[in-house]
Amino acid sequence: MNAPAVELTEQTHRRGGGRLGRKALRSAPIASFPTLVRQIPAYEIVPDEAVELIHEESLKILEEVGCEFRDDEAIALWKAAGADVRDTRVRIDRALLMELVSKVPPEFTLHARNPERTVRVGGKNSIFVPMYGAPYIRDLDNKRRYGTLADLNNFHKMAYMAPALHSSSSIICEPMEIPVPKRHLHIIHSALKHSDKPFMGIVTSKERAEDTMAMAAIVFGEEFVRDNPVLVAITNCNSPLVWDATMLDAMRVYARHNQPLILAPFALCGASTPASAVGAVAQVNAEALAGVAFTQLIRPGSPQIYGQFMVTVDMKTGAPMGGTPEAAQMMYLMGALARKYKLPWRTSGFHVGSKLNDAQAGYEANMLMHAAILSGANYIWHSAGWLEAGLTCGYSKFATDCEQLVGWYKYAGGLPFGDFKEAMAAIREVGPQGHFLGTQHTLEHFESAFFMPNIMDFNSFEQWSAEGAKDHDTRGREKARAMLADYQEPKLDEAIAEGLADLIARREEKLPDSVS
């Protein structure tokens, strides 16, 4: 299932020669990988007894310490369910907690406006999703500056062009020139207009979440979005142990529409958790389970994603660090817990602390993506563009990440044995001291046999020098320019486009230009 998609990408996305080659590329359909179905085993970093120990301690945290739910409606729902509620502190009995968590389906379908881009989340399925939330960008001239709507449009275009990205995310970068109260309308419009892949919702207020659902209803149909997942939204617990009103408002909007939420504590380990990898996981697990359980009070059986964002902090400065071994180890633990609960789960892939698309970024990214793949994550977020602990999205980083995702897709898809018999026949055909370059087997398989990146350089030193001695970051920016040059918009139906424009205009008339 996976190999044809890789082969298609290598053929379709290799830039053709000259104007005619580029014209042919633009007229070809944009290749898109199907859902990654992992064919390699999940890595168990600790024995089952250690997973049970963390699980047990997480339950004790919720029973004995409790979790804050700072919202009147949430408190009323917990009281009605039989939890021990005192003011805003909710202590949840383990039987009630696990009963609610068990209602979440282990897998769900995430629909795209183009059905060919629809994906599956959970089980052995994984999808790659670009980054989210950067106020700054590192542009095509390698300058760091505030993001604009034009930048956001470009990143959504690149997400559409990248075959191994399964979603367009939403706030890849903040369009800083647009007033905050109106910004969400243009973010969602860009994701829907410039890509036909699944996208992500806005959670910064109840009204903005409702606007997101209204826009989704225009694209997919009101009845369809009432029950079918078409987006994923992120809600963060404020570690330690606080679900605030803003996040709970968003949970209610999306869960009532059967739209999956990522219930993900945002943990700076050592600052908002104990300075212990296993201690941090026990706390984050408790926070995530409390959020998952709450969604089932809103709509039992609604699809949800158990999640975490756990980075260690530099204990000298307090700054968050990416790509540390502890961050990878904590992913493995969270993956084991997710499998125990039979929950789809989210982690992050290429999130790094480096300011540039440099060697540090590569080391950090490899550490974390390897853990994401081997821990069995289903929703691998921040898989393209992330720099500077999420403060910056880089054009070069986005392009080079997308190329690396093709390799990770192939890695996780397992080793195919379909041509093994033919390969053995080729050995007999060539015999000693020959070569395989002209064999029928090589001619049939050379384009798909191995991962062949275009941005990475494997030429001789002389050839590399003759072509300008360009470093990886420079080649990444060139690739980003090429992706944007080759972009063709997946057009919305005219009536849908007009409906979105009308909704945006009506809402902008009512919304202020600044936050009061």
Side-chain angles (χ1 to χ4, degrees):
M1 174 179 170
N2 296 338
V6 174
E7 182 177 358
L8 177 63
T9 297
E10 297 297 344
Q11 294 171 355
T12 305
H13 282 267
R14 187 174 295 115
R15 288 177 60 81
R19 184 177 63 181
L20 291 177
R22 288 191 293 275
K23 182 178 179 181
L25 180 61
R26 289 193 185 100
S27 64
I30 298 300
S32 184
F33 290 7
T35 306
L36 168 60
V37 181
R38 297 185 311 280
Q39 300 297 333
I40 57 176
Y43 180 66
E44 304 289 352
I45 197 171
V46 296
D48 291 345
E49 294 82 2
V51 176
E52 286 299 318
L53 174 63
I54 293 172
H55 164 70
E56 180 68 20
E57 291 302 318
S58 297
L59 297 185
K60 289 179 181 178
I61 290 170
L62 291 177
E63 288 178 326
E64 299 169 7
V65 181
C67 187
E68 292 276 321
F69 282 80
R70 294 180 178 172
D71 173 85
D72 291 342
E73 186 175 344
I75 289 299
L77 287 169
W78 278 119
K79 283 182 177 177
D84 177 5
V85 179
R86 304 172 199 177
D87 295 324
T88 56
R89 182 75 62 91
V90 179
R91 292 174 175 83
I92 312 168
D93 175 80
R94 65 183 61 202
L96 172 61
L97 178 78
M98 298 316 297
E99 178 189 357
L100 291 169
V101 169
S102 71
K103 296 179 185 294
V104 177
E107 297 185 26
F108 63 88
T109 298
L110 180 59
H111 296 272
R113 72 171 173 94
N114 178 352
E116 293 182 4
R117 318 286 199 226
T118 291
V119 292
R120 191 82 177 155
V121 180
K124 295 187 71 175
N125 305 301
S126 294
I127 64 171
F128 296 120
V129 183
M131 76 164 294
Y132 180 106
Y136 299 98
I137 63 102
R138 185 163 286 277
D139 66 19
L140 291 168
D141 296 317
N142 203 24
K143 302 297 184 184
R144 181 183 184 270
R145 57 173 172 78
Y146 279 125
T148 67
L149 183 59
D151 292 311
L152 181 64
N153 295 164
N154 282 343
F155 287 127
H156 285 148
K157 292 174 183 179
M158 291 173 69
Y160 170 67
M161 294 290 290
L165 282 177
H166 298 97
S167 167
S168 300
S169 187
S170 61
I171 319 169
I172 296 177
C173 72
E174 292 273 7
M176 299 294 281
E177 79 275 28
I178 298 176
V180 170
K182 302 177 181 181
R183 191 176 293 175
H184 65 288
L185 299 167
H186 298 276
I187 291 168
I188 298 302
H189 182 247
S190 178
L192 291 169
K193 172 182 169 67
H194 295 110
S195 174
D196 58 9
K197 296 178 180 181
F199 67 106
M200 296 188 70
I202 303 295
V203 297
T204 48
S205 76
K206 176 184 177 182
E207 293 73 20
R208 293 169 195 170
E210 289 171 341
D211 284 343
T212 301
M213 289 310 308
M215 295 175 78
I218 291 171
V219 174
F220 292 90
E222 191 170 335
E223 290 188 14
F224 190 83
V225 300
R226 193 175 296 127
D227 295 312
N228 296 284
V230 299
L231 61 86
V232 171
I234 173 67
T235 50
N236 289 128
C237 179
N238 292 331
S239 298
L241 298 165
V242 175
W243 284 99
D244 66 29
T246 300
M247 295 292 97
L248 295 168
D249 271 345
M251 282 190 207
R252 284 193 290 269
V253 172
Y254 291 118
R256 283 170 180 157
H257 283 88
N258 212 45
Q259 303 303 311
L261 294 141
I262 301 171
L263 292 312
F266 187 96
L268 300 175
C269 300
S272 60
T273 76
S276 157
V278 292
V281 170
Q283 176 189 311
V284 165
N285 183 45
E287 294 166 336
L289 289 177
V292 170
F294 178 70
T295 65
Q296 301 308 293
L297 297 178
I298 302 167
R299 180 165 176 167
S302 59
Q304 306 299 336
I305 301 174
Y306 166 90
Q308 55 88 20
F309 183 85
M310 303 172 74
V311 295
T312 56
V313 298
D314 185 329
M315 300 309 288
K316 301 185 297 291
T317 67
M321 299 189 293
T324 62
E326 294 82 11
Q329 290 168 335
M330 290 185 288
M331 278 192 207
Y332 289 116
L333 292 176
M334 295 298 288
L337 289 161
R339 288 188 290 278
K340 173 181 175 60
Y341 307 133
K342 296 182 173 59
L343 292 174
W345 78 284
R346 165 260 167 152
T347 193
S348 300
F350 289 148
H351 66 100
V352 303
S354 182
K355 318 307 180 286
L356 301 170
N357 190 18
D358 58 7
Q360 179 180 330
Y363 289 137
E364 292 180 279
N366 183 70
M367 173 72 78
L368 296 179
M369 184 58 79
H370 219 130
I373 293 293
L374 291 183
S375 61
N378 305 114
Y379 193 95
I380 305 177
W381 200 12
H382 305 319
S383 290
W386 181 287
L387 287 170
E388 199 181 338
L391 289 174
T392 298
C393 182
Y395 278 84
S396 176
K397 180 70 159 43
F398 201 102
T400 57
D401 284 346
C402 288
E403 178 169 273
Q404 287 302 302
L405 290 177
V406 176
W408 284 108
Y409 189 100
K410 195 163 189 178
Y411 176 85
L415 276 169
F417 275 73
D419 69 330
F420 188 65
K421 182 178 179 180
E422 290 81 2
M424 295 301 98
I427 294 173
R428 288 167 173 78
E429 175 188 342
V430 171
Q433 298 187 12
H435 68 78
F436 292 79
L437 296 176
T439 66
Q440 187 63 34
H441 179 266
T442 299
L443 293 174
E444 290 176 355
H445 293 89
F446 77 96
E447 286 191 302
S448 60
F450 309 117
F451 171 51
M452 294 191 295
N454 293 319
I455 302 174
M456 298 178 76
D457 186 280
F458 301 101
N459 289 323
S460 68
F461 177 82
E462 291 75 16
Q463 183 66 30
W464 172 75
S465 299
E467 294 178 357
K470 298 170 186 174
D471 62 16
H472 192 63
D473 189 37
T474 301
R475 295 193 300 271
R477 289 195 300 277
E478 290 182 349
K479 178 61 175 180
R481 287 191 179 94
M483 292 172 76
L484 293 170
D486 291 333
Y487 172 79
Q488 276 194 317
E489 184 179 317
K491 295 287 187 181
L492 287 161
D493 177 84
E494 186 175 343
I496 290 173
E498 290 175 356
L500 289 172
D502 179 63
L503 184 147
I504 291 169
R506 285 187 287 106
R507 290 293 293 139
E508 285 201 308
E509 283 185 7
K510 295 180 179 180
L511 293 169
D513 285 330
S514 62
V515 179
S516 57

mmCIF file of all heavy atoms in Angstrom, residues 54 61 93 162 235 256 282 300 321 335-336 348 350 372 436 455 477 479 512:
data_model
loop_
_atom_site.group_PDB
_atom_site.id
_atom_site.type_symbol
_atom_site.label_atom_id
_atom_site.label_comp_id
_atom_site.label_asym_id
_atom_site.label_seq_id
_atom_site.Cartn_x
_atom_site.Cartn_y
_atom_site.Cartn_z
ATOM 1 N N ILE A 54 3.144 3.856 36.648
ATOM 2 C CA ILE A 54 2.811 5.230 36.268
ATOM 3 C C ILE A 54 1.294 5.408 36.200
ATOM 4 O O ILE A 54 0.746 6.404 36.685
ATOM 5 C CB ILE A 54 3.467 5.583 34.923
ATOM 6 C CG1 ILE A 54 4.983 5.618 35.077
ATOM 7 C CG2 ILE A 54 2.961 6.927 34.396
ATOM 8 C CD1 ILE A 54 5.732 5.766 33.766
ATOM 9 N N ILE A 61 -3.217 10.646 41.686
ATOM 10 C CA ILE A 61 -3.179 12.105 41.576
ATOM 11 C C ILE A 61 -4.585 12.653 41.403
ATOM 12 O O ILE A 61 -4.997 13.620 42.067
ATOM 13 C CB ILE A 61 -2.272 12.534 40.400
ATOM 14 C CG1 ILE A 61 -0.808 12.254 40.720
ATOM 15 C CG2 ILE A 61 -2.466 14.027 40.080
ATOM 16 C CD1 ILE A 61 0.125 12.424 39.521
ATOM 17 N N ASP A 93 -12.913 9.635 40.853
ATOM 18 C CA ASP A 93 -12.744 8.224 41.203
ATOM 19 C C ASP A 93 -12.265 7.447 39.980
ATOM 20 O O ASP A 93 -12.712 7.691 38.853
ATOM 21 C CB ASP A 93 -14.084 7.669 41.698
ATOM 22 C CG ASP A 93 -14.028 6.184 41.955
ATOM 23 O OD1 ASP A 93 -13.523 5.786 43.014
ATOM 24 O OD2 ASP A 93 -14.494 5.416 41.071
ATOM 25 N N ALA A 162 3.177 19.155 -0.304
ATOM 26 C CA ALA A 162 4.030 18.124 0.300
ATOM 27 C C ALA A 162 3.278 16.800 0.406
ATOM 28 O O ALA A 162 2.307 16.701 1.149
ATOM 29 C CB ALA A 162 4.491 18.586 1.682
ATOM 30 N N THR A 235 -6.371 21.460 22.639
ATOM 31 C CA THR A 235 -6.639 22.094 23.932
ATOM 32 C C THR A 235 -5.539 21.677 24.902
ATOM 33 O O THR A 235 -5.221 20.506 25.033
ATOM 34 C CB THR A 235 -8.014 21.679 24.493
ATOM 35 O OG1 THR A 235 -8.148 20.251 24.455
ATOM 36 C CG2 THR A 235 -9.135 22.317 23.695
ATOM 37 N N ARG A 256 -19.238 18.630 20.996
ATOM 38 C CA ARG A 256 -20.661 18.542 20.661
ATOM 39 C C ARG A 256 -20.885 18.313 19.172
ATOM 40 O O ARG A 256 -21.898 17.744 18.769
ATOM 41 C CB ARG A 256 -21.386 19.807 21.130
ATOM 42 C CG ARG A 256 -21.633 19.820 22.631
ATOM 43 C CD ARG A 256 -22.132 21.161 23.126
ATOM 44 N NE ARG A 256 -22.362 21.113 24.584
ATOM 45 C CZ ARG A 256 -22.370 22.176 25.375
ATOM 46 N NH1 ARG A 256 -22.154 23.395 24.876
ATOM 47 N NH2 ARG A 256 -22.581 22.039 26.667
ATOM 48 N N ALA A 282 3.779 10.811 34.814
ATOM 49 C CA ALA A 282 2.660 10.493 35.708
ATOM 50 C C ALA A 282 1.720 11.688 35.840
ATOM 51 O O ALA A 282 0.481 11.541 35.803
ATOM 52 C CB ALA A 282 3.179 10.068 37.077
ATOM 53 N N PRO A 300 -20.731 11.484 24.783
ATOM 54 C CA PRO A 300 -20.153 10.141 24.903
ATOM 55 C C PRO A 300 -19.903 9.524 23.531
ATOM 56 O O PRO A 300 -20.734 9.614 22.626
ATOM 57 C CB PRO A 300 -21.240 9.363 25.672
ATOM 58 C CG PRO A 300 -22.016 10.419 26.396
ATOM 59 C CD PRO A 300 -22.010 11.618 25.494
ATOM 60 N N MET A 321 13.968 23.219 25.913
ATOM 61 C CA MET A 321 14.932 22.584 25.016
ATOM 62 C C MET A 321 14.198 21.577 24.132
ATOM 63 O O MET A 321 13.263 20.904 24.575
ATOM 64 C CB MET A 321 16.012 21.861 25.816
ATOM 65 C CG MET A 321 16.835 22.773 26.723
ATOM 66 S SD MET A 321 18.262 21.922 27.463
ATOM 67 C CE MET A 321 17.438 20.752 28.545
ATOM 68 N N GLY A 335 3.369 6.661 24.697
ATOM 69 C CA GLY A 335 2.864 5.708 23.720
ATOM 70 C C GLY A 335 2.387 4.420 24.366
ATOM 71 O O GLY A 335 1.346 3.863 24.006
ATOM 72 N N ALA A 336 3.144 3.929 25.335
ATOM 73 C CA ALA A 336 2.750 2.705 26.043
ATOM 74 C C ALA A 336 1.444 2.918 26.802
ATOM 75 O O ALA A 336 0.570 2.035 26.825
ATOM 76 C CB ALA A 336 3.858 2.274 26.997
ATOM 77 N N SER A 348 4.795 15.213 19.075
ATOM 78 C CA SER A 348 5.382 16.159 18.135
ATOM 79 C C SER A 348 6.612 15.534 17.494
ATOM 80 O O SER A 348 7.319 14.743 18.119
ATOM 81 C CB SER A 348 5.768 17.448 18.856
ATOM 82 O OG SER A 348 4.623 18.048 19.434
ATOM 83 N N PHE A 350 9.218 17.141 14.537
ATOM 84 C CA PHE A 350 10.423 17.918 14.272
ATOM 85 C C PHE A 350 10.461 19.210 15.083
ATOM 86 O O PHE A 350 10.833 20.257 14.566
ATOM 87 C CB PHE A 350 10.519 18.250 12.785
ATOM 88 C CG PHE A 350 10.836 17.076 11.900
ATOM 89 C CD1 PHE A 350 10.338 17.014 10.605
ATOM 90 C CD2 PHE A 350 11.646 16.039 12.332
ATOM 91 C CE1 PHE A 350 10.642 15.952 9.766
ATOM 92 C CE2 PHE A 350 11.952 14.965 11.503
ATOM 93 C CZ PHE A 350 11.437 14.924 10.219
ATOM 94 N N ALA A 372 8.951 9.463 17.945
ATOM 95 C CA ALA A 372 7.539 9.556 17.558
ATOM 96 C C ALA A 372 7.109 8.341 16.750
ATOM 97 O O ALA A 372 6.029 7.772 16.966
ATOM 98 C CB ALA A 372 7.298 10.843 16.769
ATOM 99 N N PHE A 436 24.911 -4.281 -11.548
ATOM 100 C CA PHE A 436 23.461 -4.460 -11.642
ATOM 101 C C PHE A 436 22.756 -3.281 -12.324
ATOM 102 O O PHE A 436 21.537 -3.265 -12.413
ATOM 103 C CB PHE A 436 22.878 -4.649 -10.237
ATOM 104 C CG PHE A 436 23.288 -5.936 -9.575
ATOM 105 C CD1 PHE A 436 24.533 -6.071 -8.979
ATOM 106 C CD2 PHE A 436 22.441 -7.030 -9.586
ATOM 107 C CE1 PHE A 436 24.920 -7.253 -8.387
ATOM 108 C CE2 PHE A 436 22.816 -8.234 -8.994
ATOM 109 C CZ PHE A 436 24.063 -8.343 -8.387
ATOM 110 N N ILE A 455 16.880 17.593 -1.931
ATOM 111 C CA ILE A 455 17.507 18.740 -1.280
ATOM 112 C C ILE A 455 18.867 18.351 -0.710
ATOM 113 O O ILE A 455 19.835 19.102 -0.813
ATOM 114 C CB ILE A 455 16.602 19.294 -0.158
ATOM 115 C CG1 ILE A 455 15.231 19.689 -0.719
ATOM 116 C CG2 ILE A 455 17.255 20.501 0.500
ATOM 117 C CD1 ILE A 455 14.225 20.113 0.336
ATOM 118 N N ARG A 477 15.722 26.709 1.059
ATOM 119 C CA ARG A 477 15.006 27.904 0.599
ATOM 120 C C ARG A 477 14.715 27.820 -0.903
ATOM 121 O O ARG A 477 13.646 28.234 -1.362
ATOM 122 C CB ARG A 477 15.802 29.160 0.937
ATOM 123 C CG ARG A 477 15.822 29.479 2.422
ATOM 124 C CD ARG A 477 16.294 30.898 2.704
ATOM 125 N NE ARG A 477 17.645 31.147 2.222
ATOM 126 C CZ ARG A 477 18.743 30.817 2.883
ATOM 127 N NH1 ARG A 477 18.651 30.201 4.062
ATOM 128 N NH2 ARG A 477 19.943 31.085 2.392
ATOM 129 N N LYS A 479 14.221 25.084 -2.560
ATOM 130 C CA LYS A 479 13.127 24.125 -2.712
ATOM 131 C C LYS A 479 11.791 24.767 -2.355
ATOM 132 O O LYS A 479 10.771 24.536 -3.025
ATOM 133 C CB LYS A 479 13.377 22.904 -1.819
ATOM 134 C CG LYS A 479 12.267 21.860 -1.863
ATOM 135 C CD LYS A 479 12.086 21.286 -3.264
ATOM 136 C CE LYS A 479 11.048 20.155 -3.253
ATOM 137 N NZ LYS A 479 10.850 19.588 -4.602
ATOM 138 N N PRO A 512 -14.624 43.592 16.918
ATOM 139 C CA PRO A 512 -13.790 44.797 17.098
ATOM 140 C C PRO A 512 -12.428 44.625 16.443
ATOM 141 O O PRO A 512 -12.029 43.519 16.063
ATOM 142 C CB PRO A 512 -13.662 44.895 18.616
ATOM 143 C CG PRO A 512 -13.768 43.478 19.079
ATOM 144 C CD PRO A 512 -14.752 42.806 18.151
#
